[in-house]
Amino acid sequence: MPPVTVTVPASTANLGPGYDSFGLALGLHNTVTAGFATRDTWEISCTGEGEEDPESGADNLMVIAMRRLFDVIGEKRGVAVTCENGIPFGRGLGSSSAAIVGGLVAANALTGAALPPGELFRLAAGLEGHPDNVAAALFGGFTICWSEDGIPRATHIDPPGGLAAVVVVSEQRLSTVSARALLPDSVPHADAVFDAGRAGLLAAGLALGRADLIGPGMSDLLHEPYRAAAVTDLDAVRRVLLEAGADGAALSGAGPTVIGLVSGVDDADAFARASAVAGRAAEPLTRCAGRRAPEVFAIDRDGATVVID
Ligand code: HSE
């Protein structure tokens, strides 16, 4: 069996009101190459984001994911893995989900197991603990997750309108576990009603290509107000993105990255508009200490992909 190469996208989860439900894949990728080792050992070497920090977890997560699939199919051989990481760790851009999905898809292709996408999704969601980032990383585009009888499910929507993202990464990491620990066990009924309406608006806006629904659809009361205790510049960064012309803005996943969405007549138009938003936001964002300059990414419509030479 020759080595396989897989690209897997970053993802932004929640998008405001879709806590643990909505995901969107971004055109920022990790690349994983895996081949059977000559001995029954596992070797891994990574370059790019986090290469100086082998304890950060994502590398190990990729091996854990590969071994999980190997266990499912009874494969015992060892593997040599190399990865080029473009996705920053611990910032709310789905680095752990990319590691898990990259590992599962690579293991599936390498072994010829041919597990169906739904099975890979369930394995990935089980390893991650929440399904929204893994759905986007695996399927691409805009994904909506729910659960039935405790089984995670996902559907994928390829937004018909052009869409791009302006991403403001924080130099600080925030672990998802810590960011989830900030959330209360229950929320006021009125806040749940607020989010139900906004989630519907956002899903409709993305599914129909209605930019006018995307902005109001990105407001949230279920998790962002609580996480603002750890991401103290959330409202300031959001305001800069909105004043610079983003349709809407939200905490990306558990944060601390903040993301703005920009629509257009097609993806190229959206990318050009997002670049203009990033240009206008760059100077005001210099006043938000610890933030990288805004970066523009297309959305990824394909999800994890086995590269065919
Ligand atoms: N839905 C998850 C959370 C995403 O907000 O905790 C983590 O990236």
Side-chain angles (χ1 to χ4, degrees), residues 13-14 19-20 130 132-133 176 180 227 253-254:
N14 304 327
Y19 179 73
D20 277 2
H130 51 86
D132 43 0
N133 288 101
T176 300
R180 291 176 86 84
R227 287 171 163 172

Side-chain angles (χ1 to χ4, degrees), residues 174-193:
L174 176 61
S175 84
T176 300
V177 172
S178 319
R180 291 176 86 84
L182 294 170
L183 306 186
D185 291 335
S186 58
V187 295
H189 199 269
D191 291 355
V193 171

Side-chain angles (χ1 to χ4, degrees), residues 8 61 64-66 68-69 72 96-105 115-139 152 304:
V8 58
L61 266 179
I64 288 167
M66 292 191 79
R68 177 83 181 88
L69 189 140
V72 168
S96 59
S97 288
I100 289 168
V101 168
L104 288 172
V105 172
L115 296 187
E119 180 62 16
L120 296 179
F121 167 66
R122 282 186 287 281
L123 288 172
L127 287 166
E128 179 65 284
H130 51 86
D132 43 0
N133 288 101
V134 296
L138 185 59
F139 300 120

Side-chain angles (χ1 to χ4, degrees), residues 17-42:
Y19 179 73
D20 277 2
S21 306
F22 290 175
L24 183 70
L26 302 174
L28 169 68
H29 296 88
N30 288 351
T31 302
V32 182
T33 300
F36 284 118
T38 44
R39 291 170 291 152
D40 290 345
T41 52
W42 286 75

